[in-house]
């Protein structure tokens, strides 16, 4: 089954071709340079930039895979959640291709792409259900119960900012450019995690809830009071506050649901400290931790094609093509 996957939900234009769960190509064109001078994503520039890149990116994905449009079984595209202007570029391109080639078109939920990302590619794992999934990205931070592929419940989510936003805003305050998660990760390796204790937020009455906006404010106040700090130490301490909370919530969710399998995916799952700390925590809990390989952590077309492959194998319907900014993965399940 050959599938072309297209992803334009945020600021990466990507297309990939999969043959079953094998990745034949995965092309990602980043817009980091476009948004860097603004210190964050400018939605209109993102959409314009997708328009420029979408055709060359799709052509390259097809050429790298050595596949013709006629060889495809279907086309998959992210239809939400994300920036509507960005999503519409990918959806329109996919519709044009589907019309021209007569191939079926599948709308895919971006979050499902992240959840299932470790199940495709050379290092694909076969993961038994049920499992937990922590999605940590620029747009989202939430914990899901995956009963089956295609059957998800949201068991917790951030009350305000995502973990990726905390990294990016933190990096902006430290003058480290955009996007800043990767830079903080690198600098933190030379820093002291115990240099300063930034707050680990808790939400009264909801032990699994997440919140990162207070942490941002606390970094701002700290930097104003301490202008002469060693940036590596601040990065390490700030990152530790984010990682601590994520590791703790995953442990709590495992205990409450008596599930010992977890996927941690999304852009922030590329963070080296998070990967190490989650690995240690999983070992001590006797749990199976599944992390996507680095190239599948941040947004990419392969995870979208992969989700479509896994859904088609189970004869599940697609998510529609409406390009919604908000799109949940499943109903909320609040644990006692
Ligand atoms: O999944 P993604 O590519 O896009 C969304 O769906 O939002 O995630 C992007 C986020 C950005 O906030 C970026 O700073 C963060 O992932 N990120 C990292 C690292 N690499 C990317 N955060 C921390 N450490 C990293 N190594
Ligand atoms: Zn994403």
């Amino acid at each position: 089954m050959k599938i072309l996957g297209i992803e334009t939900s945020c600021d990466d234009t990507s297309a990939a071709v999969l043959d079953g769960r094998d990745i034949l190509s995965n092309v990602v064109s980043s817009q980091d340079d476009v948004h860097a001078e603004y210190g964050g994503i400018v939605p209109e520039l993102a959409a314009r930039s997708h328009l420029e890149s979408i055709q060359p990116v799709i052509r390259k994905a097809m050429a790298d895979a050595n596949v013709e449009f006629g060889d495809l079984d279907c086309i998959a595209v992210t239809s939400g959640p994300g920036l509507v202007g960005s999503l519409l570029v990918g959806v329109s391109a996919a519709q044009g291709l589907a019309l021209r080639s007569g191939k079926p078109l599948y709308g895919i939920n971006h979050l499902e792409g992240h959840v299932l990302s470790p199940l495709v590619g050379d290092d694909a794992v076969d993961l038994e259900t049920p499992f937990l999934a922590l999605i940590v990205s620029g747009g989202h931070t939430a914990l899901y119960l995956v009963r089956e592929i295609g059957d998800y419940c949201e068991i917790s989510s951030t009350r305000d900012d995502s973990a990726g936003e905390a990294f990016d805003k933190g990096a902006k305050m430290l003058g480290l450019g955009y996007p800043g998660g990767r830079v903080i990760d690198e600098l933190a390796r030379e820093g002291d995690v115990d240099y300063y204790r930034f707050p680990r937020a808790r939400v009264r009455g909801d032990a699994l809830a997440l919140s990162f906006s207070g942490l941002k404010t606390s970094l701002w106040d700290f930097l104003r009071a301490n202008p002469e700090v060693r940036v590596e130490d601040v990065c390490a301490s700030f990152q530790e506050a984010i990682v601590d909370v994520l590791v703790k919530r995953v442990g709590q969710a495992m205990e409450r649901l008596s599930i010992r399998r977890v996927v941690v995916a999304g852009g922030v799952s590329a963070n080296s400290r998070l990967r190490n700390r989650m690995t240690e925590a999983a070992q001590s809990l006797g749990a199976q931790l599944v992390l996507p390989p680095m190239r599948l952590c941040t947004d990419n077309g392969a995870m979208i094609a992969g989700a479509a492959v896994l859904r088609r194998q189970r004869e599940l319907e697609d998510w529609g093509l409406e390009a919604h900014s908000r799109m949940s993965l499943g109903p909320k399940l609040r644990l006692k």
Side-chain angles (χ1 to χ4, degrees):
M1 188 197 302
K2 291 201 175 71
I3 296 198
L4 168 67
I6 298 171
E7 155 64 40
T8 64
S9 67
C10 192
D11 63 341
D12 289 312
T13 316
S14 181
V17 179
L18 264 62
D19 187 0
R21 292 210 258 160
D22 291 340
I23 300 174
L24 303 183
S25 66
N26 189 23
V27 179
V28 182
S29 167
S30 157
Q31 299 179 2
D32 288 354
D33 294 345
V34 175
H35 304 290
E37 66 175 293
Y38 305 98
I41 298 169
V42 183
E44 191 182 316
L45 295 182
R48 284 178 194 279
S49 198
H50 283 305
L51 263 183
E52 276 169 28
S53 312
I54 190 78
Q55 288 201 17
V57 163
I58 292 174
R59 254 187 240 120
K60 183 160 173 25
M62 296 296 287
D64 287 0
N66 203 11
V67 166
E68 304 287 333
F69 285 107
D71 302 334
L72 294 172
D73 292 281
C74 83
I75 298 166
V77 63
T78 306
S79 57
L83 301 170
V84 171
S86 292
L87 289 164
L88 284 172
V89 176
V91 170
S92 307
Q95 277 174 324
L97 289 173
L99 199 64
R100 196 181 84 175
S101 61
K103 305 292 174 183
L105 183 54
Y106 273 68
I108 291 292
N109 183 319
H110 181 80
L111 299 169
E112 184 177 45
H114 277 304
V115 169
L116 303 179
S117 60
L119 277 58
V120 296
D122 290 346
D123 313 304
V125 287
D126 280 312
L127 192 57
E128 260 178 58
T129 48
F131 61 86
L132 290 169
L134 172 69
I135 299 305
V136 266
S137 70
H140 300 89
T141 294
L143 253 170
Y144 299 95
L145 165 64
V146 180
R147 292 204 184 99
E148 291 287 348
I149 288 174
D151 180 0
Y152 311 99
C153 286
E154 183 192 291
I155 52 177
S156 130
S157 68
T158 181
R159 293 293 175 96
D160 37 60
D161 297 342
S162 70
E165 223 172 315
F167 271 109
D168 294 338
K169 297 274 162 58
K172 191 174 175 185
M173 288 180 216
L174 288 160
L176 301 175
Y178 171 85
R182 208 175 48 225
V183 185
I184 290 188
D185 185 354
E186 275 158 25
L187 290 172
R189 289 176 207 176
E190 310 297 323
D192 176 5
V193 293
D194 297 319
Y195 174 72
Y196 184 75
R197 190 168 168 87
F198 288 102
R200 276 75 167 151
R202 278 184 304 187
V203 176
R204 193 173 302 168
D206 187 354
L208 286 177
L210 295 142
S211 160
F212 295 103
S213 70
L215 174 63
K216 238 171 38 186
T217 313
S218 143
L219 175 63
W220 177 251
D221 293 343
F222 173 81
L223 290 174
R224 284 213 317 189
N226 304 276
E228 300 293 317
V229 281
R230 199 174 156 258
V231 69
E232 290 85 350
D233 291 333
V234 183
C235 286
S237 312
F238 180 74
Q239 173 177 274
E240 203 65 7
I242 299 173
V243 169
D244 257 357
V245 170
L246 295 174
V247 170
K248 180 150 191 200
R249 294 293 177 272
V250 166
Q252 289 169 301
M254 280 192 188
E255 289 297 332
R256 283 173 182 227
L257 287 161
S258 303
I259 291 178
R260 290 288 182 269
R261 283 180 291 273
V262 63
V263 164
V264 178
V268 178
S269 70
N271 183 270
S272 58
R273 183 74 179 163
L274 180 65
R275 292 174 87 92
N276 291 339
R277 291 274 318 275
M278 282 285 178
T279 305
E280 283 166 18
Q283 271 164 6
S284 72
L285 288 165
Q288 180 186 5
L289 168 70
V290 178
L291 295 160
M294 296 299 266
R295 69 193 179 116
L296 297 183
C297 290
T298 43
D299 293 347
N300 64 87
M303 69 184 193
I304 301 306
V309 168
L310 293 162
R311 288 187 82 86
R312 278 191 59 142
Q313 284 170 345
R314 289 161 182 76
E315 296 180 1
L316 296 168
E317 280 179 16
D318 79 335
W319 290 84
L321 294 163
E322 285 88 4
H324 288 300
S325 62
R326 289 173 178 271
M327 203 160 136
S328 89
L329 201 48
K332 288 193 170 130
L333 175 71
R334 292 291 170 241
L335 304 174
K336 294 266 157 52

